[in-house]
């Protein structure tokens, strides 16, 4: 059995907790409940012949009170950077956070999730900016924790990347 | 030392575990029951019981410190760990009350922030609407 730790990284209220809850429990809630510290959930995935236990570390988002505590990143095999598609500045911060994570844990597989894809009427993210990032080698997916769009796919894709990185 | 320890166990729910390199329990002490670990047996893997315990988490000469780890409904712990000659030592300390206070403070702060963001957004929309109305001729239909 393979066990892989994934961290959810991003500004507060972008949907990190909601994405984990959608993926693990197929649930969504409109109510916003700030995460303190870390909450760890587990879900097993079958990737080809292998069963991978994903340990999902839902970290407290960066906010006015607290910046990312890098100690929680220890032992990660990969991470999601999460931004809110209706708040462009959360993408700027996700990019800064990526540098911070990289400095701490080095080159690990990661994916950028632009969440809240269901709120397309208030979408703020410049698509050109995303395609530029893709050109530099970033993997990006649009997700919605509310509808479930892209969520399973994102976790699957990162799991595959992590397994490949270990080879 | 003993007085300090018993104080920490009684007041702060201190619990400690010694693990071998495969994260199996060697010995333990303190208020394990509080963390739902009362039935943990010697030789048993701790990984299934404490989600943060995993392969490669603890390394020689490096202390691990996690400030607020959610260990169940309404249960938060400080986690401190380091590799000792007797095995990997993991210490848990109850910080549920602190976490609760921080949660409610942060919740209000973040909600306020989101509210402000929405106000700015509404203001932008209103300004756009105002411009549209001003620039339209009186007989234009909006
Ligand atoms: N419409 C919509 N709302 C979402 C989505 N994901 C999260 N939210 C909402 O955004 C708020 C913050 O979500 P949360 O998961 O707590 O964010 P976190 O701080 O990054 O963990 C909550 O009110 C959620 O209901 C989504 O995909 N679509
Ligand atoms: Mg959260």
């Amino acid at each position: 059995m393979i066990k892989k730790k994934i961290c959810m990284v991003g500004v507060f209220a972008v949907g990190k907790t909601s994405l984990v809850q959608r993926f693990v429990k197929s649930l969504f809630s409109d109510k916003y409940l700030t995460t303190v510290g870390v909450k760890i959930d587990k879900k097993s995935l079958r990737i080809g012949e292998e069963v991978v236990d994903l340990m999902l570390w839902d970290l407290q988002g960066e906010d006015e009170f607290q910046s990312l505590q890098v100690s929680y990143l220890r032992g990660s095999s990969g991470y999601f950077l999460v931004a809110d598609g209706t708040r462009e500045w959360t993408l700027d911060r996700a990019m800064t956070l990526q540098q911070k994570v990289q400095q701490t844990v080095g080159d690990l597989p990661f994916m950028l999730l632009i969440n809240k894809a269901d709120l397309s009427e208030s979408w703020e993210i410049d698509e050109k900016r995303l395609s530029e990032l893709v050109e530099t080698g970033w993997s990006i997916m649009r997700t919605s924790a509310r509808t479930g769009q892209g969520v399973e796919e994102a976790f699957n894709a990162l799991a595959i990347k992590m397994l490949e990185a270990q080879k | 030392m003993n007085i300090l320890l018993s104080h920490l166990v009684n007041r702060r729910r201190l619990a400690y575990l010694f693990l071998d390199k495969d994260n199996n329990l060697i010995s333990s002490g303190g208020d394990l029951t509080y963390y739902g670990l009362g039935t943990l047996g010697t030789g048993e893997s701790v990984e299934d019981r404490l989600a943060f315990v995993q392969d490669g988490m603890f390394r020689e000469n490096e202390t691990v410190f996690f400030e607020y780890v959610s260990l169940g409904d309404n249960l938060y712990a400080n986690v401190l760990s380091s590799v000792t000659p007797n095995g990997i030592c993991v210490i848990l300390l109850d910080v549920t009350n602190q976490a609760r206070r921080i949660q409610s403070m942060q919740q209000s702060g973040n909600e306020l922030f989101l509210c402000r963001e929405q106000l700015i957004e509404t203001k932008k929309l209103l300004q756009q609407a105002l411009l549209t109305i001003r620039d339209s001729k009186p007989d234009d239909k909006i």
Side-chain angles (χ1 to χ4, degrees):
Chain A
M1 185 205 59
I2 312 166
K3 205 166 171 178
K4 297 281 178 199
K5 168 174 171 180
I6 294 177
C7 282
M8 307 297 291
V9 178
V11 177
F12 76 97
V14 293
K16 299 179 295 298
T17 301
S18 303
L19 285 164
V20 172
Q21 292 314 301
R22 162 62 68 189
F23 178 59
V24 175
K25 303 197 179 109
S26 303
L27 292 176
F28 177 78
S29 162
D30 271 315
K31 199 170 175 303
Y32 171 48
L33 210 65
T34 311
T35 307
V36 173
V38 63
K39 185 169 179 297
I40 307 166
D41 270 298
K42 175 178 148 181
K43 180 158 169 165
S44 303
L45 267 192
R46 175 172 286 278
I47 307 285
E49 298 286 281
E50 294 181 293
V51 176
V52 189
D53 277 350
L54 299 181
M55 304 306 292
L56 307 168
W57 288 51
D58 176 20
L59 305 188
Q60 171 172 345
E62 277 216 328
D63 60 22
E64 306 286 300
F65 306 98
Q66 181 83 68
S67 56
L68 173 71
Q69 284 197 293
V70 291
S71 63
Y72 291 126
L73 299 169
R74 195 187 178 86
S76 298
S77 299
Y79 57 98
F80 282 115
L81 287 174
V82 187
D84 178 342
T86 68
R87 296 188 291 156
E88 172 128 49
W89 68 271
T90 64
L91 175 59
D92 305 331
R93 288 280 282 276
M95 293 174 69
T96 320
L97 283 169
Q98 195 276 329
Q99 286 168 3
K100 198 166 166 181
V101 177
Q102 181 141 21
Q103 277 161 19
T104 312
V105 291
D107 275 320
L108 288 181
F110 72 93
M111 286 183 77
L112 171 64
L113 303 183
I114 313 287
N115 190 42
K116 308 198 185 179
D118 56 288
L119 298 176
S120 52
E121 75 278 7
S122 26
W123 205 248
E124 269 191 5
I125 305 265
D126 182 10
E127 293 298 319
K128 200 168 133 255
R129 202 169 160 201
L130 295 185
S131 28
E132 280 165 13
L133 278 174
V134 170
E135 273 165 34
T136 67
W138 281 38
S139 302
I140 305 177
M141 283 184 77
R142 286 158 198 75
T143 54
S144 167
R146 171 184 277 265
T147 64
Q149 177 197 330
V151 177
E152 290 270 340
E153 292 87 338
F155 281 93
N156 260 298
L158 185 61
I160 291 169
K161 269 174 176 281
M162 291 188 308
L163 290 181
E164 274 169 3
Q166 130 189 317
K167 278 174 193 157
Chain B
M1 188 62 193
N2 276 339
I3 295 172
L4 175 66
L5 267 186
S6 63
H7 172 83
L8 283 174
V9 172
N10 294 332
R11 293 295 188 77
R12 301 289 309 279
R13 309 285 193 169
L14 176 92
Y16 54 91
L17 309 140
F18 283 96
L19 317 178
D20 67 18
K21 59 175 181 23
D22 299 318
N23 294 328
N24 299 321
L25 187 71
I26 301 172
S27 62
S28 58
D31 196 349
L32 290 154
T33 317
Y34 183 72
Y35 302 97
L37 300 170
T39 58
L40 195 65
T42 308
E44 201 178 313
S45 170
V46 178
E47 290 191 24
D48 297 331
R49 308 289 289 274
L50 290 171
F52 62 86
V53 176
Q54 65 167 52
D55 207 24
M57 178 61 77
F58 313 111
R59 279 175 245 136
E60 212 79 44
N61 304 321
E62 284 180 43
T63 302
V64 175
F65 178 64
F66 298 139
E67 202 170 14
Y68 293 104
V69 181
S70 165
L71 289 178
D73 284 341
N74 235 333
L75 179 59
Y76 284 86
N78 264 175
V79 174
L80 190 74
S81 170
S82 67
V83 179
T84 75
N86 300 325
I88 302 160
C89 178
V90 178
I91 296 174
L92 304 175
L93 209 57
D94 180 42
V95 284
T96 306
N97 285 332
Q98 291 96 311
R100 245 191 247 147
R101 275 196 298 252
I102 287 179
Q103 206 284 335
S104 76
M105 182 188 77
Q106 233 163 238
Q107 180 81 31
S108 322
N110 289 351
E111 275 172 1
L112 206 66
F113 191 101
L114 292 173
C115 198
R116 217 181 111 242
E117 269 190 295
Q118 270 167 8
L119 273 176
I120 294 170
E121 199 56 36
T122 312
K123 196 174 147 205
K124 264 196 238 158
L125 282 175
L126 281 174
Q127 276 167 343
Q128 274 169 14
L130 195 69
L131 284 176
T132 320
I133 293 168
R134 206 189 56 192
D135 295 344
S136 61
K137 296 183 207 82
D139 52 345
D140 272 358
K141 294 233 164 37
I142 296 174

